[in-house]
Amino acid sequence: MKTLVWVEHDNASVKDATLSAVTAAAKLGEVHLLVAGSGARAVADAAAQIAGVGKVHFADDAAYEHALAENIAPLIVDLMGHHDAFVAPATTTGKNVAPRVAALLDVAQISDILSVEGEKTFTRPIYAGNAIATVESSDPKLVITVRGTAFAKAEATGGSGVVEDVTGAGDAGLSSFVGAEIAKSERPELTSAKIIVSGGRALKDSETFEATIMPLADKLGAAVGASRAAVDAGYVPNDYQVGQTGKIVAPEVYIAVGISGAIQHLAGMKDSKTIIAINKDEDAPIFQVADVGLVADLFSAVPELTGKL
Amino acid sequence: MKIIVPVKRVIDYNVKPRVKADGTGVDLANVKMSMNPFDEIAVEEAIRLKEAGKAEEIIAVSVGPAKAQETLRTALAMGADRAILIETDAEVEPLAVAKILKAIVAEENPGLVILGKQAIDDDSNQTGQMLAALTGRPQGTFASKVDVAGDSVAVTREVDGGLETVKLSLPAIVTTDLRLNEPRYASLPNIMKAKKKQLDVKSPADYGVDIAPRLKTLKVSEPPVRSAGIKVADVDGLVAKLKELGVA
């Protein structure tokens, strides 16, 4: 089976999410990549270095700079003429583009896979991760998005892929990019961090969140996350949100501070290797999944913890 | 313009789903069902556009069992003008739903279709994008702001790392993210009035859509259970644990 993997990038470098998708695609057969962007030659060259990659299809066009689904989908559909599967990481870009491709190919999409069980058989979470479905596709071609935390990352170097230029139809004339507001952070990226310190509603306000959670995160070199309650209350921007509707993370250590543990939040973090919970309510559901729990008032416990590290 | 809002009847988001012992699915017998939370946001956004004078009519649509009428009545009570139920007891995959919606779009020719970004039962996050593909319309997914002006709509999208704004030519497809708005509650008088609003019942065959599933569910199982953890007595205990884990 020949698979085409969507390379997630910012027109300068390959994003880590791509590497997990390559690992999943390699289980299906020959791995080809698609780098679509504008002035993204460096990305194509870097992508060719990923271990196990055969061909890198490189489409360089101003219309592809912001990965608008209307422009990108027809390009992918073209390339699917000689590929059997399209694989994208389940990032916001992957989730935006892949179903548009699937519908144009008239195939069902398999979202957010956790494992490859056979050539056409996969597992995926449903009901906010409260159940795992094993599904088998009957379609002639596959369109798949991959949960990054479920697959190891392919080596970013050591490969010897060949970059081949391709051209697509370019601008579909339906949409245009206006602007972006990317939250600035010096800390590690949430989805790839080894340690995450996450805060919930109990943090009171953005100043308290900043004063309590950030020093602990910085001491541990951790990324900062949040529950939906903390985001909705405006303590932190929404790209900090961990959960069914936010980011799915699986770090080595996840420290949940003042988070009760609603099922929507657990859906985003319960595959973490070690979960640590600090909460003053000893009946909080978070303690049912926590490996290590401390029942204490976070306003005294967290500063004390930060001080002792 | 007209706005079409597809809504789905799903397990209530507060209910913890239970996997059936025989591994055929999730037990939905006697479980509280509600409108998918993202769809409530979609209905609310459509109503706000109407209140702002940017839409004339809102049509709520659902594909599902007879009981999905309740979900449509909820949408009508919130402020939708009429509803269409495409009744079937089969489980309908996103691709088939998108094909049914395409046929309805062809009939009604709405300026906007506003969907939820995903249903909290199958967690697919596909239907809106698929509808956009099938109708050849632009898509504004994961919207946290929708601004209709003239013949285009500016959609601010929640993307990894922050926000992004795209401009789409109308007609267009939009899918809602959680922060787009806070849905209103239907008042009792509006619930009563909703009972009198038009609700047409049709079938997938009326639109000539084959809803046979493309994916076969071989089994549904419980996720791996985490082994029980320990509680530490104080911060010193926690520090010791962190040292043991090699992170401090």
Side-chain angles (χ1 to χ4, degrees):
Chain A
M1 194 181 280
K2 263 206 275 187
T3 65
L4 180 68
V5 177
W6 170 258
V7 174
E8 181 90 7
H9 66 86
D10 54 5
N11 291 299
S13 59
V14 176
K15 293 265 173 83
D16 266 6
T18 311
L19 303 174
S20 308
V22 166
T23 301
K27 291 177 192 280
L28 293 169
E30 203 180 326
V31 179
H32 290 184
L33 303 183
L34 169 61
V35 174
S38 177
R41 176 72 61 182
V43 178
D45 290 338
Q49 301 296 310
I50 299 172
V53 165
K55 206 179 279 180
V56 177
H57 299 279
F58 176 47
D60 205 33
D61 190 317
Y64 302 144
E65 184 175 358
H66 301 289
L68 295 170
E70 298 80 4
N71 298 350
I72 293 288
L75 171 71
I76 297 168
V77 169
D78 264 0
L79 290 167
M80 285 303 287
H82 43 92
H83 288 90
D84 307 296
F86 176 68
V87 175
T91 55
T92 45
T93 313
K95 289 175 181 173
N96 188 43
V97 171
R100 193 163 178 116
V101 172
L104 292 174
L105 293 170
D106 192 30
V107 304
Q109 178 188 301
I110 307 159
S111 295
D112 223 10
I113 64 161
L114 301 172
S115 72
V116 177
E117 300 290 312
E119 212 174 47
K120 297 214 161 183
T121 311
F122 307 89
T123 63
R124 59 175 305 263
I126 52 175
Y127 291 90
N130 284 291
I132 309 293
T134 306
V135 296
E136 183 185 46
S137 170
S138 61
D139 283 319
K141 287 185 195 283
L142 298 171
V143 175
I144 297 165
T145 62
V146 173
R147 177 168 291 194
T149 58
F151 292 88
K153 292 185 179 71
E155 292 295 332
T157 55
S160 51
V162 181
V163 178
E164 191 179 283
D165 287 16
V166 292
T167 46
D171 196 337
L174 291 169
S175 58
S176 57
F177 177 82
V178 177
E181 206 180 298
I182 300 303
K184 285 202 171 62
S185 176
E186 307 280 294
R187 300 189 179 85
E189 199 205 358
L190 198 50
T191 48
S192 57
K194 286 200 160 56
I195 307 170
I196 294 172
V197 179
S198 227
R201 192 201 307 269
L203 271 306
K204 284 203 180 104
D205 53 41
S206 62
E207 289 74 31
T208 318
F209 194 102
E210 181 82 23
T212 315
I213 298 294
M214 305 306 183
L216 176 59
D218 290 342
K219 207 65 172 266
L220 294 167
V224 174
S227 69
R228 186 184 167 199
V231 170
D232 280 353
Y235 304 173
V236 287
N238 57 38
D239 51 304
Y240 283 59
Q241 187 184 321
V242 171
Q244 184 183 21
T245 56
K247 293 201 171 73
I248 313 284
V249 299
E252 296 283 318
V253 178
Y254 187 91
I255 305 179
V257 179
I259 292 176
S260 64
I263 57 176
Q264 293 82 4
H265 186 73
L266 300 182
M269 47 63 84
K270 69 180 174 180
D271 293 326
S272 305
K273 202 150 175 223
T274 302
I275 297 172
I276 296 173
I278 302 173
N279 204 304
K280 68 177 175 191
D281 173 11
E282 62 178 314
D283 296 321
I286 191 78
F287 287 120
Q288 290 163 21
V289 300
D291 300 282
V292 183
L294 172 64
V295 180
D297 182 0
L298 71 93
F299 294 108
S300 56
V302 175
E304 188 187 342
L305 176 61
T306 309
K308 283 181 173 168
L309 289 172
Chain B
M1 64 177 180
K2 276 187 205 176
I3 301 179
I4 289 184
V5 186
V7 295
K8 186 176 185 182
R9 180 177 186 264
V10 298
I11 189 168
D12 188 89
Y13 73 99
N14 282 315
V15 176
K16 188 171 161 52
R18 290 187 194 287
V19 175
K20 285 186 199 164
D22 63 1
T24 55
V26 165
D27 195 356
L28 295 178
N30 305 314
V31 168
K32 187 184 178 204
M33 306 291 277
S34 303
M35 188 190 297
N36 181 43
F38 292 102
D39 303 347
E40 289 185 349
I41 296 168
V43 174
E44 175 66 33
E45 195 64 18
I47 297 166
R48 290 187 190 188
L49 284 166
K50 191 181 170 191
E51 287 169 347
K54 290 182 173 163
E56 288 86 45
E57 190 185 27
I58 301 165
I59 309 160
V61 177
S62 192
V63 180
K67 282 198 168 162
Q69 286 201 24
E70 293 166 13
T71 312
L72 288 169
R73 291 286 172 206
T74 305
L76 293 171
M78 286 173 74
D81 296 292
R82 62 185 166 96
I84 306 171
L85 172 64
I86 296 86
E87 193 178 319
T88 169
D89 285 325
E91 224 171 278
V92 189
E93 288 174 354
L95 181 63
V97 173
K99 286 180 179 176
I100 292 170
L101 293 175
K102 179 197 175 188
I104 295 174
V105 165
E107 254 176 36
E108 303 282 355
N109 199 23
L112 274 176
V113 182
I114 309 179
L115 306 87
K117 79 164 175 182
Q118 77 190 60
I120 61 164
D121 52 0
D122 64 16
D123 284 333
S124 289
N125 196 331
Q126 300 172 5
T127 308
Q129 295 90 315
M130 288 181 155
L131 175 63
L134 297 175
T135 54
R137 295 182 174 190
Q139 64 190 52
T141 51
F142 324 140
S144 60
K145 194 170 167 226
V146 173
D147 196 355
V148 175
D151 58 359
S152 69
V153 55
V155 178
T156 301
R157 308 177 52 231
E158 293 195 11
V159 296
D160 297 330
L163 299 171
E164 168 187 300
T165 303
V166 291
K167 194 170 160 191
L168 314 174
S169 52
L170 290 172
I173 314 293
V174 170
T175 76
T176 63
D177 215 318
L178 279 173
R179 260 156 298 276
L180 180 57
N181 60 49
E182 202 153 309
R184 68 193 66 189
Y185 288 101
S187 65
L188 190 59
N190 285 344
I191 292 171
M192 299 311 288
K193 271 186 224 156
K195 292 185 177 171
K196 296 203 178 78
K197 288 185 182 174
Q198 181 187 349
L199 194 163
D200 297 325
V201 179
K202 307 215 167 181
S203 79
D206 291 339
Y207 298 99
V209 175
D210 172 17
I211 59 164
R214 305 289 187 85
L215 300 178
K216 190 169 149 195
T217 300
L218 303 179
K219 70 169 182 214
V220 174
S221 51
E222 296 269 2
V225 180
R226 294 189 71 97
S227 50
I230 53 143
K231 283 210 173 112
V232 291
D234 50 25
V235 171
D236 288 328
L238 195 50
V239 172
K241 261 296 172 202
L242 286 170
K243 288 204 166 120
E244 212 176 284
L245 290 165
V247 297

Short mmCIF file of all heavy atoms in Angstrom, two decimals, chain A residues 130-166:
data_model
loop_
_atom_site.label_atom_id
_atom_site.label_comp_id
_atom_site.label_asym_id
_atom_site.label_seq_id
_atom_site.Cartn_x
_atom_site.Cartn_y
_atom_site.Cartn_z
N ASN A 130 -14.15 7.27 26.28
CA ASN A 130 -14.72 6.31 27.22
C ASN A 130 -14.95 4.94 26.59
O ASN A 130 -15.35 4.00 27.27
CB ASN A 130 -16.02 6.85 27.81
CG ASN A 130 -15.75 7.90 28.86
OD1 ASN A 130 -15.24 7.60 29.92
ND2 ASN A 130 -16.03 9.15 28.53
N ALA A 131 -14.75 4.85 25.29
CA ALA A 131 -14.84 3.55 24.61
C ALA A 131 -13.87 3.57 23.43
O ALA A 131 -13.56 4.64 22.89
CB ALA A 131 -16.27 3.30 24.13
N ILE A 132 -13.38 2.39 23.07
CA ILE A 132 -12.47 2.28 21.94
C ILE A 132 -13.14 1.40 20.90
O ILE A 132 -13.52 0.26 21.19
CB ILE A 132 -11.13 1.61 22.37
CG1 ILE A 132 -10.53 2.28 23.61
CG2 ILE A 132 -10.14 1.60 21.20
CD1 ILE A 132 -10.07 3.69 23.42
N ALA A 133 -13.30 1.94 19.69
CA ALA A 133 -13.95 1.17 18.63
C ALA A 133 -12.88 0.61 17.69
O ALA A 133 -11.92 1.30 17.35
CB ALA A 133 -14.91 2.06 17.85
N THR A 134 -13.06 -0.65 17.29
CA THR A 134 -12.22 -1.24 16.25
C THR A 134 -13.04 -1.21 14.97
O THR A 134 -14.13 -1.80 14.93
CB THR A 134 -11.84 -2.68 16.61
OG1 THR A 134 -11.25 -2.68 17.91
CG2 THR A 134 -10.83 -3.24 15.61
N VAL A 135 -12.56 -0.52 13.95
CA VAL A 135 -13.34 -0.38 12.73
C VAL A 135 -12.56 -0.87 11.52
O VAL A 135 -11.33 -0.77 11.47
CB VAL A 135 -13.78 1.09 12.48
CG1 VAL A 135 -14.72 1.57 13.57
CG2 VAL A 135 -12.59 2.03 12.37
N GLU A 136 -13.33 -1.40 10.56
CA GLU A 136 -12.73 -1.90 9.33
C GLU A 136 -13.34 -1.14 8.17
O GLU A 136 -14.57 -1.03 8.05
CB GLU A 136 -13.01 -3.40 9.20
CG GLU A 136 -12.36 -4.04 7.99
CD GLU A 136 -12.78 -5.50 7.84
OE1 GLU A 136 -13.98 -5.79 7.94
OE2 GLU A 136 -11.89 -6.33 7.62
N SER A 137 -12.50 -0.64 7.30
CA SER A 137 -12.98 0.13 6.16
C SER A 137 -13.30 -0.78 4.99
O SER A 137 -12.61 -1.77 4.75
CB SER A 137 -11.92 1.15 5.74
OG SER A 137 -12.30 1.74 4.51
N SER A 138 -14.37 -0.44 4.25
CA SER A 138 -14.68 -1.20 3.04
C SER A 138 -14.40 -0.35 1.80
O SER A 138 -14.73 -0.73 0.68
CB SER A 138 -16.16 -1.63 3.06
OG SER A 138 -16.98 -0.48 3.09
N ASP A 139 -13.81 0.83 2.00
CA ASP A 139 -13.55 1.74 0.88
C ASP A 139 -12.29 1.34 0.12
O ASP A 139 -11.35 0.79 0.70
CB ASP A 139 -13.39 3.18 1.41
CG ASP A 139 -14.72 3.81 1.76
OD1 ASP A 139 -15.67 3.63 0.99
OD2 ASP A 139 -14.78 4.51 2.78
N PRO A 140 -12.23 1.67 -1.16
CA PRO A 140 -11.04 1.34 -1.95
C PRO A 140 -9.80 2.15 -1.54
O PRO A 140 -8.68 1.68 -1.67
CB PRO A 140 -11.43 1.69 -3.39
CG PRO A 140 -12.60 2.62 -3.26
CD PRO A 140 -13.30 2.25 -2.00
N LYS A 141 -10.03 3.37 -1.04
CA LYS A 141 -8.91 4.18 -0.56
C LYS A 141 -9.20 4.61 0.88
O LYS A 141 -10.35 4.76 1.25
CB LYS A 141 -8.72 5.41 -1.45
CG LYS A 141 -8.11 5.08 -2.81
CD LYS A 141 -7.83 6.33 -3.60
CE LYS A 141 -7.56 6.02 -5.07
NZ LYS A 141 -6.22 5.48 -5.33
N LEU A 142 -8.13 4.81 1.63
CA LEU A 142 -8.29 5.19 3.03
C LEU A 142 -7.95 6.65 3.25
O LEU A 142 -7.00 7.16 2.64
CB LEU A 142 -7.36 4.34 3.91
CG LEU A 142 -7.58 2.83 3.92
CD1 LEU A 142 -6.44 2.14 4.67
CD2 LEU A 142 -8.92 2.50 4.57
N VAL A 143 -8.72 7.30 4.11
CA VAL A 143 -8.35 8.63 4.59
C VAL A 143 -8.36 8.56 6.12
O VAL A 143 -9.38 8.19 6.72
CB VAL A 143 -9.31 9.72 4.08
CG1 VAL A 143 -8.97 11.06 4.70
CG2 VAL A 143 -9.25 9.81 2.56
N ILE A 144 -7.21 8.88 6.71
CA ILE A 144 -7.02 8.63 8.14
C ILE A 144 -6.41 9.86 8.81
O ILE A 144 -5.51 10.49 8.24
CB ILE A 144 -6.06 7.44 8.34
CG1 ILE A 144 -6.66 6.15 7.77
CG2 ILE A 144 -5.68 7.24 9.80
CD1 ILE A 144 -5.63 5.05 7.59
N THR A 145 -6.89 10.19 10.02
CA THR A 145 -6.10 11.11 10.84
C THR A 145 -5.58 10.34 12.04
O THR A 145 -6.21 9.40 12.51
CB THR A 145 -6.91 12.35 11.30
OG1 THR A 145 -8.00 11.93 12.11
CG2 THR A 145 -7.43 13.16 10.12
N VAL A 146 -4.40 10.75 12.50
CA VAL A 146 -3.65 9.98 13.49
C VAL A 146 -3.52 10.76 14.79
O VAL A 146 -3.10 11.93 14.78
CB VAL A 146 -2.24 9.68 12.95
CG1 VAL A 146 -1.36 9.04 14.01
CG2 VAL A 146 -2.31 8.80 11.71
N ARG A 147 -3.87 10.13 15.89
CA ARG A 147 -3.64 10.76 17.19
C ARG A 147 -2.14 10.70 17.50
O ARG A 147 -1.57 9.62 17.66
CB ARG A 147 -4.44 10.06 18.29
CG ARG A 147 -4.14 10.67 19.65
CD ARG A 147 -5.08 10.23 20.71
NE ARG A 147 -6.41 10.78 20.50
CZ ARG A 147 -7.36 10.77 21.44
NH1 ARG A 147 -7.11 10.24 22.62
NH2 ARG A 147 -8.53 11.28 21.20
N GLY A 148 -1.52 11.86 17.59
CA GLY A 148 -0.06 11.93 17.71
C GLY A 148 0.47 11.21 18.94
O GLY A 148 1.52 10.56 18.88
N THR A 149 -0.25 11.30 20.05
CA THR A 149 0.27 10.73 21.29
C THR A 149 0.21 9.20 21.30
O THR A 149 0.75 8.57 22.19
CB THR A 149 -0.51 11.28 22.50
OG1 THR A 149 -1.89 10.96 22.33
CG2 THR A 149 -0.34 12.77 22.64
N ALA A 150 -0.46 8.60 20.31
CA ALA A 150 -0.62 7.14 20.29
C ALA A 150 0.49 6.44 19.51
O ALA A 150 0.60 5.23 19.55
CB ALA A 150 -1.99 6.77 19.71
N PHE A 151 1.30 7.21 18.78
CA PHE A 151 2.36 6.61 17.97
C PHE A 151 3.71 7.26 18.29
O PHE A 151 3.78 8.49 18.48
CB PHE A 151 2.07 6.80 16.47
CG PHE A 151 0.87 6.01 16.00
CD1 PHE A 151 -0.40 6.55 16.07
CD2 PHE A 151 1.02 4.72 15.49
CE1 PHE A 151 -1.51 5.83 15.66
CE2 PHE A 151 -0.08 4.00 15.08
CZ PHE A 151 -1.35 4.54 15.16
N ALA A 152 4.75 6.45 18.35
CA ALA A 152 6.09 6.99 18.56
C ALA A 152 6.47 7.88 17.38
O ALA A 152 5.93 7.73 16.29
CB ALA A 152 7.09 5.85 18.69
N LYS A 153 7.37 8.81 17.61
CA LYS A 153 7.79 9.69 16.52
C LYS A 153 8.85 9.00 15.67
O LYS A 153 9.79 8.41 16.20
CB LYS A 153 8.38 10.98 17.09
CG LYS A 153 7.36 11.86 17.78
CD LYS A 153 8.03 13.17 18.19
CE LYS A 153 7.04 14.09 18.86
NZ LYS A 153 6.64 13.64 20.20
N ALA A 154 8.71 9.11 14.35
CA ALA A 154 9.75 8.60 13.45
C ALA A 154 11.00 9.46 13.64
O ALA A 154 10.91 10.64 14.01
CB ALA A 154 9.27 8.66 12.01
N GLU A 155 12.17 8.89 13.39
CA GLU A 155 13.42 9.67 13.47
C GLU A 155 13.38 10.77 12.42
O GLU A 155 13.03 10.53 11.27
CB GLU A 155 14.62 8.75 13.20
CG GLU A 155 14.89 7.72 14.28
CD GLU A 155 15.29 8.36 15.61
OE1 GLU A 155 15.86 9.47 15.58
OE2 GLU A 155 15.01 7.75 16.66
N ALA A 156 13.77 11.98 12.84
CA ALA A 156 13.71 13.12 11.92
C ALA A 156 14.87 13.13 10.94
O ALA A 156 14.89 13.89 9.97
CB ALA A 156 13.67 14.42 12.71
N THR A 157 15.87 12.30 11.20
CA THR A 157 17.02 12.26 10.29
C THR A 157 17.34 10.82 9.93
O THR A 157 16.82 9.88 10.52
CB THR A 157 18.27 12.87 10.97
OG1 THR A 157 18.48 12.17 12.20
CG2 THR A 157 18.10 14.34 11.23
N GLY A 158 18.23 10.67 8.95
CA GLY A 158 18.66 9.34 8.56
C GLY A 158 17.94 8.81 7.33
O GLY A 158 18.29 7.78 6.78
N GLY A 159 16.92 9.52 6.88
CA GLY A 159 16.18 9.09 5.70
C GLY A 159 16.84 9.58 4.42
O GLY A 159 17.75 10.41 4.45
N SER A 160 16.39 9.07 3.31
CA SER A 160 16.95 9.49 2.04
C SER A 160 15.84 9.60 1.01
O SER A 160 15.87 8.95 -0.03
CB SER A 160 18.03 8.51 1.59
OG SER A 160 17.49 7.19 1.64
N GLY A 161 14.85 10.42 1.33
CA GLY A 161 13.73 10.62 0.42
C GLY A 161 14.14 11.49 -0.76
O GLY A 161 15.13 12.22 -0.69
N VAL A 162 13.38 11.40 -1.82
CA VAL A 162 13.66 12.19 -3.01
C VAL A 162 12.56 13.24 -3.16
O VAL A 162 11.38 12.92 -3.09
CB VAL A 162 13.65 11.28 -4.27
CG1 VAL A 162 13.97 12.10 -5.51
CG2 VAL A 162 14.63 10.14 -4.08
N VAL A 163 12.97 14.51 -3.29
CA VAL A 163 11.98 15.59 -3.44
C VAL A 163 11.58 15.72 -4.90
O VAL A 163 12.43 15.82 -5.79
CB VAL A 163 12.54 16.93 -2.92
CG1 VAL A 163 11.52 18.04 -3.12
CG2 VAL A 163 12.94 16.81 -1.45
N GLU A 164 10.29 15.69 -5.13
CA GLU A 164 9.79 15.81 -6.50
C GLU A 164 8.76 16.94 -6.55
O GLU A 164 7.80 16.94 -5.77
CB GLU A 164 9.11 14.48 -6.88
CG GLU A 164 8.76 14.34 -8.32
CD GLU A 164 8.11 12.98 -8.59
OE1 GLU A 164 8.84 11.97 -8.65
OE2 GLU A 164 6.87 12.93 -8.70
N ASP A 165 8.97 17.90 -7.41
CA ASP A 165 8.04 19.03 -7.50
C ASP A 165 6.73 18.60 -8.15
O ASP A 165 6.73 17.87 -9.13
CB ASP A 165 8.66 20.17 -8.33
CG ASP A 165 9.76 20.88 -7.55
OD1 ASP A 165 10.23 20.31 -6.54
OD2 ASP A 165 10.13 22.00 -7.94
N VAL A 166 5.63 19.07 -7.56
CA VAL A 166 4.34 18.84 -8.19
C VAL A 166 3.60 20.18 -8.25
O VAL A 166 3.88 21.09 -7.48
CB VAL A 166 3.46 17.82 -7.39
CG1 VAL A 166 4.07 16.43 -7.45
CG2 VAL A 166 3.30 18.24 -5.94
#
